[in-house]
């Protein structure tokens, strides 16, 4: 009996030693930077399409949310369905698929003359975006917690820098939207470059076979019947285990969906009908500045944890927000305010819209990074990888719902504005003719 009790702790320590080392050691700087680049590129592409929505639809009265539906619909589908089988597909084929889908999609947006074909290209890019977010978030489960923070910081940077890039190119430098989007398509090659440069811990299971090591070269030791009964036969979760993992985070998922509905209604359906004659820029440029300020706020929200994890790691854990529902309520309050402002037209200047847009972005950014942080605390590595991959479905559900609602809300607000406004050209932030700048 004494021998058995001494053996048990030894087996347990050997079983989890690899995981413990992974959790406590620091990753190589190149690996951390690679996760930052992954997050930056896929979110910059996604954000660039959102920023260029009005130019993609220029000369038409198609609701702005049509771009959102095309940009989020395929993303939502793949993030809901793929977690149930994506673990069977190696990461390298996924990276190739992400690259080709996004490049092909952006090429169609640039080259097509018809709005319908452009929206189809956006949908292809959306498939690549969904596959990318799902795969890269799941990949972080093989690395130190800093990896998920780096990816989150990359997404925030991509979200904020893409609108700045698009605004600078099309508004300040007077470069056409087609050239601006084409440059973004070329930059996606860095997905392949940094995947080749990073340390691929997620692929180390297959390295033994690649080096010619066979089962004859491995020394085996017998295991007792109890070990056979308790250890799983494979690393894949059962359907019951997957459903159980989702139930544990359902409140966070509900809060995320609600906040994302509010976010995308604000930036794609409500403030698109708010422009001011007193502003120092034309109605078309209002949208560019709204989007830039809102998404720049997300950069601050998504990046604060990774900054603190290096400077004050103990404080970073204390500042992790677990009451996600409180932040969701704040974002919904901003939506209500903007709806009232668009309907009653009581705002007299653009400044308050820009300030509140920035605050709304900060709230969304904080929610996103804390959602990933809370999910990463799940102890079972298999359940953690699954839930991290499924996290994308919550944001997608909120965005696609907002897109569908926006197809009705934006025309409704614009129509009302035309009946009460002195100058109807300030009821829509879209160019109806001519160049983006003169």
């Amino acid at each position: 009996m004494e021998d058995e009790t001494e053996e048990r702790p030894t087996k347990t320590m050997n079983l989890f030693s690899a995981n413990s080392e992974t959790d406590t050691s620091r990753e190589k700087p190149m690996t951390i930077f690679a996760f930052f680049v992954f997050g930056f590129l896929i979110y910059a592409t996604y954000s660039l399409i959102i920023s260029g929505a009005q130019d993609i639809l220029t000369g038409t009265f198609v609701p702005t949310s049509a771009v959102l539906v095309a940009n989020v619909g395929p993303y939502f589908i793949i993030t809901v369905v793929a977690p149930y089988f994506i673990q069977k597909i190696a990461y390298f084929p996924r990276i190739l698929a992400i690259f080709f889908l996004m490049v092909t999609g952006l090429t169609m947006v640039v080259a097509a003359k018809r709005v319908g074909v452009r929206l189809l290209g956006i949908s292809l890019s959306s498939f690549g975006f969904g596959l990318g977010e799902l795969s890269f978030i799941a990949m972080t489960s093989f690395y130190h917690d800093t990896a998920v923070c780096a990816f989150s910081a990359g997404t925030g940077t991509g979200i904020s820098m893409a609108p700045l890039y698009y605004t600078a190119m099309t508004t300040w430098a007077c470069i056409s939207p087609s050239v601006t989007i084409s440059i973004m398509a070329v930059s996606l090659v860095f997905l392949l470059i940094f995947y080749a440069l990073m340390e691929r811990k997620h692929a180390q299971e297959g390295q033994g076979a690649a080096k010619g090591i066979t089962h004859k070269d491995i020394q085996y030791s017998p295991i007792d019947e109890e070990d056979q009964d308790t250890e799983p036969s494979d690393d894949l979760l059962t359907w019951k285990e997957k459903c159980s993992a989702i139930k544990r985070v359902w409140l966070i998922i509900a809060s995320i969906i609600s906040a994302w509905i509010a976010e995308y209604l604000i930036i794609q359906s409500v403030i698109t009908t708010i422009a001011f004659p007193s502003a120092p820029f034309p109605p078309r440029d209002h949208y560019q500045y709204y989007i830039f300020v809102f998404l720049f706020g997300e950069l601050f929200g998504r990046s604060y944890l990774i900054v603190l994890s290096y400077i004050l790691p103990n404080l970073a854990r204390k500042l992790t927000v677990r009451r996600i529902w409180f932040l969701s309520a704040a974002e919904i309050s901003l939506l209500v305010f903007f709806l009232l402002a668009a309907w009653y037209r009581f705002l007299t200047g653009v400044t308050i819209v820009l300030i509140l847009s920035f605050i709304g972005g900060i709230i969304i950014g904080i929610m996103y990074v804390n959602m990933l942080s809370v999910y990463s605390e799940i102890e079972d590595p298999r359940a953690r990888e699954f839930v991290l991959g499924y996290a994308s479905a919550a944001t997608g559900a909120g965005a696609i719902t907002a897109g569908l609602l926006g197809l009705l809300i934006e025309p409704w607000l614009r129509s009302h504005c035309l009946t009460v406004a002195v100058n109807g050209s300030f009821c829509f932030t879209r160019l109806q003719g001519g160049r983006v700048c003169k």
Side-chain angles (χ1 to χ4, degrees):
M1 291 292 293
E2 293 180 0
D3 293 339
E4 289 183 20
T5 56
E6 292 178 359
E7 283 183 353
R8 296 295 179 193
T10 303
K11 291 181 180 179
T12 303
M13 290 174 64
N14 291 337
L15 180 63
F16 292 100
S17 59
N19 292 336
S20 298
E21 183 179 351
T22 301
D23 290 338
T24 57
S25 62
R26 290 294 180 107
E27 301 292 346
K28 294 181 178 179
M30 179 57 69
T31 300
I32 296 300
F33 188 63
F35 277 106
F36 178 88
V37 170
F38 296 153
F40 174 84
L41 287 175
I42 64 171
Y43 265 83
T45 303
Y46 170 83
S47 180
L48 189 74
I49 292 174
I50 296 295
S51 300
Q54 300 288 42
D55 292 332
I56 293 171
L57 301 175
T58 187
T60 73
F61 286 103
V62 176
T64 311
S65 290
V67 171
L68 180 61
V69 172
N71 202 24
V72 176
Y75 159 86
F76 174 63
I77 292 172
I78 200 169
T79 52
V80 169
V81 176
Y84 293 99
F85 64 85
I86 197 69
Q87 291 170 305
K88 299 178 182 179
I89 303 175
Y91 279 99
F92 182 64
R94 295 194 222 175
I95 304 301
L96 288 176
I98 295 163
F99 172 75
F100 285 110
L101 283 169
M102 299 188 83
V103 170
T104 302
L106 291 182
T107 302
M108 291 176 65
V109 171
V110 170
K113 301 298 182 182
R114 299 177 58 184
V115 170
V117 179
R118 294 177 185 176
L119 293 176
L120 178 61
I122 292 173
S123 296
L124 285 179
S125 179
S126 176
F127 274 117
F129 172 56
L131 181 61
E133 183 175 54
L134 186 150
S135 299
F136 292 131
I137 291 178
M139 192 190 296
T140 63
S141 65
F142 295 92
Y143 300 83
H144 186 265
D145 290 347
T146 310
V148 74
C149 291
F151 178 80
S152 179
T155 63
T157 305
I159 277 179
S160 60
M161 290 297 104
L164 175 60
Y165 161 73
Y166 191 85
T167 301
M169 294 285 279
T170 62
T171 302
W172 305 336
C174 288
I175 297 174
S176 70
S178 296
V179 173
T180 303
I181 296 174
S182 297
I183 295 173
M184 184 70 234
V186 173
S187 70
L188 290 172
V189 72
F190 286 104
L191 286 173
L192 304 179
I193 294 175
F194 277 92
Y195 183 78
L197 294 176
M198 71 181 297
E199 182 183 11
R200 294 181 291 278
K201 291 184 178 181
H202 54 276
Q204 289 178 355
E205 293 180 0
Q207 289 180 355
K211 293 178 181 178
I213 300 175
T214 66
H215 65 279
K216 295 180 181 180
D217 302 316
I218 302 175
Q219 295 183 357
Y220 292 90
S221 58
I223 58 176
D224 53 30
E225 294 183 358
E226 184 177 346
D227 290 334
Q228 289 180 331
D229 294 336
T230 57
E231 292 298 315
S233 57
D234 56 58
D235 292 332
L236 299 179
L237 293 173
T238 65
W239 279 86
K240 184 177 180 180
E241 289 173 325
K242 291 176 180 179
C243 292
S244 176
I246 292 298
K247 288 180 181 178
R248 293 173 58 185
V249 294
W250 72 267
L251 183 58
I252 296 177
I253 290 176
S255 299
I256 291 295
I257 292 174
S258 301
W260 258 246
I261 291 175
E263 172 195 11
Y264 282 102
L265 281 178
I266 289 173
I267 65 176
Q268 291 283 280
S269 302
V270 181
I271 59 177
T272 56
T273 65
I274 303 176
F276 301 92
S278 60
F281 36 79
R284 180 262 175 192
D285 292 353
H286 279 67
Y287 178 79
Q288 302 304 323
Y289 288 111
Y290 291 160
I291 292 295
F292 166 66
V293 169
F294 192 103
L295 299 181
F296 191 71
E298 285 203 37
L299 171 63
F300 287 88
R302 293 189 182 218
S303 303
Y304 84 99
L305 277 184
I306 189 171
V307 173
L308 290 176
S309 66
Y310 273 101
I311 301 176
L312 299 169
N314 294 329
L315 182 60
R317 292 188 177 276
K318 295 179 180 179
L319 292 180
T320 299
V321 180
R322 289 175 172 79
R323 295 183 178 181
I324 304 294
W325 61 266
F326 178 79
L327 296 172
S328 179
E331 192 71 17
I332 293 172
S333 298
L334 286 177
L335 170 62
V336 172
F337 175 84
F338 281 124
L339 282 171
L340 294 175
W343 186 264
Y344 293 105
R345 319 300 294 188
F346 55 78
L347 296 178
T348 58
V350 71
T351 304
I352 186 64
V353 179
L354 294 174
I355 293 174
L356 292 180
S357 295
F358 181 73
I359 294 173
I362 291 178
I363 293 172
I364 290 296
I366 292 175
M367 289 188 68
Y368 185 87
V369 69
N370 282 281
M371 171 188 70
L372 297 182
S373 180
V374 172
Y375 285 173
S376 299
E377 294 175 356
I378 297 176
E379 295 181 359
D380 185 350
R382 298 174 305 154
R384 182 171 64 247
E385 181 185 8
F386 170 73
V387 169
L388 281 169
Y390 209 88
S392 304
T395 60
I400 190 63
T401 302
L404 295 174
L405 292 173
L407 295 176
L408 301 174
I409 292 176
E410 184 186 68
W412 173 59
L413 291 175
R414 181 169 57 85
S415 176
H416 174 73
C417 175
L418 291 172
T419 64
V420 299
V422 177
N423 189 343
S425 62
F426 292 93
C427 293
F428 208 22
T429 58
R430 182 182 303 173
L431 188 68
Q432 292 301 321
R435 300 177 57 187
V436 294
C437 60
K438 298 180 181 180

